[in-house]
């Protein structure tokens, strides 16, 4: 099952399938749910962001949870289709949108 993820402006930025999170283009895995919660960790072990509802945001002050290791090869998810724009959610306190440079 695909879970579409948007920034706070409503633009589609990523999608989650299972434990992995992919860039909206589907061309690369940008992270995974390493700790079994809403935090997304890059494949290099850095905090990328947190899923809040259907938004992927980066909390500026986020505790370091350590490096969970490498999950292995996530494989190719294929094209999930474009969900369009989700509409603006407004800002989320203490967070900013995840940007391509973050992964």
């Amino acid at each position: 099952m695909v879970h579409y993820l948007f920034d706070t402006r409503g633009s589609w930025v990523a999608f989650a399938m299972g434990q992995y999170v992919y860039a909206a283009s589907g061309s690369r895995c940008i992270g995974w749910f390493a700790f079994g919660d809403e935090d997304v960790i890059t494949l290099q072990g850095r905090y990328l962001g947190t899923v809040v509802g259907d938004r992927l945001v980066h909390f500026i002050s986020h505790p370091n949870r350590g490096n969970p290791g490498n999950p292995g090869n996530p494989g190719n998810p294929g094209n999930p289709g474009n969900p369009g724009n989700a509409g603006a959610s407004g800002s989320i306190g203490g967070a900013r949108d995840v940007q391509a440079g973050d992964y």
Side-chain angles (χ1 to χ4, degrees), residues 4-86:
Y4 294 103
L5 302 171
F6 304 87
D7 63 17
T8 57
R9 294 180 309 277
S11 297
W12 178 38
V13 295
F15 63 96
M17 287 183 71
Q19 70 175 347
Y20 297 105
V21 178
Y22 298 87
S25 66
S27 63
R28 69 185 271 205
C29 179
I30 61 173
W32 63 302
F33 296 106
F35 300 106
D37 57 14
E38 302 303 312
D39 285 346
V40 179
I41 309 301
T42 67
L43 298 180
Q44 294 75 34
R46 294 184 321 273
Y47 170 71
L48 175 63
T50 301
V51 175
V52 179
D54 63 355
R55 309 300 159 141
L56 178 59
V57 296
H58 179 94
F59 282 97
I60 296 160
S61 178
H62 190 275
N64 183 344
R65 297 175 73 179
N67 187 333
N70 188 309
N73 184 346
N76 184 338
N79 184 343
N82 187 329
N85 189 291

